[in-house]
Each structure stands twice: as structure tokens, then as C-alpha cells.
Amino acid sequence: MTKIAILGAGSWGTALATVVAENGHTVALWTHKPAQAEFINTNHLNPDYLGDNPINPGVVATADMLDAVTGAEIVVSVVPTKATREVAAKLADVLKELGDQKIILVGATKGLEPVTFKRVSEMLAEEVPEQYRSGVAVIEGPSHAEGVVKHDPTLVTAVSENLAVAEAVQDVFTNTHFRVYTGSDMIGAEVGAALKNVIAIGAGALDGLGYDSNAKAALFTRGLAEITRLGQAFGANPLTFMGLSGVGDLFVTATSVHSRNFRAGQQLGTGKTLPEIIENMGMVIEGISTAKVAYELSQAKHVTMPITESIYKVLYEDLDIQVAIQDLMSRPVKQEGK
């Protein structure tokens, strides 16, 4: 039996904690809200994020990070991208206080940092000194929290440059309804997982506008081509984007009503403003900030990403969605794959 600390008691953090508890491991779920921790422990529910879906009684929530991390072999960061550095720095202080404890540090948030363009694993590694880490990994793949807690068969991938680290994460999380594969292409896995949120906003917008399957398939296919091009510019293996963290994650995020990014796009398509959407959602919509990062990255790397650019302009420059669609459809024709 292993102790796992999950940092972040949103929907995904809570779902991962439940998986670990179901597998018989000790799990501490850290939240910065004491009232939330008390409610979870008393009622075995996290209604603001997972409705009335029950949480395994083995999940013990706490607002004390020292308590959560003490004795943990694996620590999983599931806080929003914008909070990753702050929470990781706090984790580093806790590990310093604990002395010689070493952890496998896992990122399970899908996003890129504004300005620096850093991936989640890079932020974690920069904030938590190597002396406290026995490895760094990420968990990626098509996995909505609501499905995981209902035991919908789910496949994800644990990715690390050190295969033994990925296998350790695989061993802890795998069960009969949550199957974990391993991989080593962290760049590809994280780029794919982050950028699919941008394409999902576009897919939701098409749905909100009333477009049918042809339009969505076009967006899905050409969006994946853009993600692959940008990933390759950073050294990713193009085959990674054909796997769980690529086409798999894109499919589920760009088609499911459980996806905040898809729902945000839907509301854009029906005429709601971005401030209204953010207020209504009540949870972080990672694709909004990632759209800006992805657009800036495409410019810096000279990678052609017309769909991403269009979504960026809709979100940040008030470009009309119908105009954006017409602009995309009016681009000069070319050979596919070029």
C-alpha cells in the first residue's frame, strides 16, 4: 500500500483521489479551503465539482499540505495552470521541512503557462528542487472526472522520460475501469493535452451555431494537424498525437458536454460574451488562456495554425465567429498534409 497526495480538490483531483482509494492505497486530498475538506470528509461528496456522485470513503481531505504530503511516495498536482507555480513552491517548502523525503512528482493539469510558454511538468520541476524528487511524470488522456467516478471505462497514459517512474504511476492508478498506459514523450503528451482545449472551444462554438457533423469533423481533423505541427516544432514525436493524449483527448474534449471548454464554445456560439461565460462556468476554462499562449507560440515558432489563430481572435479581439469561419473556408486551397 502506497500513500498518494493529490493537490487540488476540483473535479479531476477528486476523481483521481477516488481511483487511488478504490485501489486500496492511502490517499490525502489537499484543498486550500478548510470548509471543503470538512464537507468531503463528513459527507463523502464534492457537490460543487462532482454533483451527487459519491467519493470513496478512503479519500481523506485536508487543508494542511504538510499533513497531506508527509509519508507520500507520489504527489499529484491537479491545480489550475495559473496556480501551479504557487502550489509547487509551497510543496517545496513542505518537502524542505520534511527533510529527506523524496517523491514522484506528477502533473495532471492540462495547460501552458502564459509568457514563459512552459509546460506543467517544467513548472513543477523548476519549483520543486531535484533533491526532493525521484522522478517527474504527467497523466494525460481522454478522461472526464464525471465518467471516472461512475466507472466509465477510461484509458489514460502516464508519461515520464524515466520509464520506471511512469510504471510506478501506472501501478498505483490502474484498475478494471481506469487503465493506464505508459509513454516517454512528455513534450507531445503535454502539448496535445493543452492545445486540444483550444480546439474544443471551436467545436463548441460550431455546435452553438447549429453546424452539423461535417463542420465538426473538419475542425477536429485540421485542429489535430495544427497541434501536431506545433508539437513537432518543439521536438515531439508526431505519433504521440495519434494516441490517448492526442486524438483521444481531443475527441472527448471536443464532443462532450462534460468539457468546460466545449460548453464555453457553445455559449460563444449562442451569443454570450466571454465575461458572461467565465462567470457562469464557475470553474477554470483552461482553453481560454491556452488559446493566447498557443497563438503566441505559433507566431514565435513560425508554425501555421489558422484555426487556433481564429479562435484566439474570437476570444481576444472580438472577431465575429461567422466571419472567422468564412475566413477559414476562403483560405487558398492546398495539398493535405502540407
Side-chain angles (χ1 to χ4, degrees):
M1 188 169 67
T2 302
K3 180 178 179 181
I4 314 297
I6 309 286
L7 307 183
S11 56
W12 187 221
T14 306
L16 287 176
T18 294
V19 171
V20 174
E22 288 172 343
N23 290 352
H25 300 291
T26 301
V27 56
L29 178 62
W30 175 81
T31 169
H32 68 281
K33 304 172 184 176
Q36 184 188 24
E38 182 179 356
F39 188 93
I40 290 172
N41 291 335
T42 302
N43 300 284
H44 307 300
L45 294 169
N46 193 354
D48 289 342
Y49 295 95
L50 287 174
D52 59 358
N53 291 297
I55 299 169
N56 188 285
V59 175
V60 178
T62 178
D64 183 342
M65 189 181 290
L66 177 62
D67 178 54
V69 173
T70 299
E73 297 179 35
I74 298 175
V75 177
V76 186
S77 174
V78 205
V79 298
T81 303
K82 65 181 181 180
T84 295
R85 282 196 185 273
E86 178 185 353
V87 172
K90 184 172 182 177
L91 172 62
D93 290 339
V94 167
L95 291 169
K96 182 178 180 180
E97 184 176 348
L98 290 172
D100 59 358
Q101 180 176 328
K102 276 199 168 190
I103 61 166
I104 291 176
L105 183 55
V106 182
T109 302
K110 301 171 181 179
L112 299 170
E113 186 176 38
V115 182
T116 70
F117 306 151
K118 294 291 179 68
R119 307 186 319 274
V120 169
S121 67
E122 293 177 305
M123 289 187 276
L124 293 173
E126 287 178 357
E127 296 298 327
V128 179
E130 189 173 1
Q131 69 193 79
Y132 303 127
R133 297 185 269 112
S134 55
V136 178
V138 293
I139 294 174
E140 311 289 3
S143 48
H144 286 309
E146 296 84 352
V148 171
V149 296
K150 291 178 178 177
H151 291 186
D152 191 28
T154 301
L155 276 62
V156 300
T157 181
V159 187
S160 176
E161 294 175 357
N162 183 335
L163 183 58
V165 169
E167 288 174 342
V169 176
Q170 179 186 50
D171 289 344
V172 166
F173 281 92
T174 297
N175 60 33
T176 56
H177 64 86
F178 194 83
R179 182 176 172 84
V180 183
Y181 290 80
T182 59
S184 59
D185 182 11
M186 294 185 74
I187 295 173
E190 291 187 89
V191 169
L195 267 62
K196 52 84 183 176
N197 287 331
V198 181
I199 305 304
I201 290 175
L206 290 178
D207 192 78
L209 287 164
Y211 285 98
D212 209 336
S213 302
N214 289 3
K216 294 171 186 175
L219 179 79
F220 186 98
T221 306
R222 298 307 302 169
L224 182 61
E226 291 189 10
I227 293 170
T228 303
R229 282 200 296 269
L230 186 63
Q232 285 184 275
F234 282 90
N237 183 341
L239 291 178
T240 299
F241 300 100
M242 294 298 103
L244 292 168
S245 62
V247 66
D249 211 352
L250 175 59
F251 175 83
V252 75
T253 310
T255 60
S256 173
V257 294
H258 293 308
S259 166
R260 290 170 232 167
N261 297 283
F262 180 82
R263 296 202 310 272
Q266 273 185 320
Q267 292 178 54
L268 278 174
T270 58
K272 285 189 171 59
T273 66
L274 191 56
E276 287 175 327
I277 293 167
I278 293 171
E279 183 178 355
N280 291 341
M281 195 68 64
M283 292 183 279
V284 174
I285 308 167
E286 290 281 4
I288 293 174
S289 61
T290 304
K292 186 172 188 295
V293 177
Y295 170 70
E296 292 171 349
L297 272 173
S298 71
Q299 299 299 298
K301 288 287 187 178
H302 306 291
V303 176
T304 303
M305 300 180 71
I307 295 173
T308 300
E309 181 177 352
S310 296
I311 294 170
Y312 164 78
K313 288 181 177 179
V314 168
L315 293 173
Y316 290 94
E317 297 181 1
D318 295 323
L319 176 65
D320 182 85
I321 300 176
Q322 293 284 19
V323 172
I325 294 170
Q326 289 306 308
D327 288 347
L328 286 168
M329 293 298 293
S330 301
R331 296 178 68 244
V333 291
K334 63 177 187 176
Q335 182 180 347
E336 186 177 17
K338 299 292 186 180

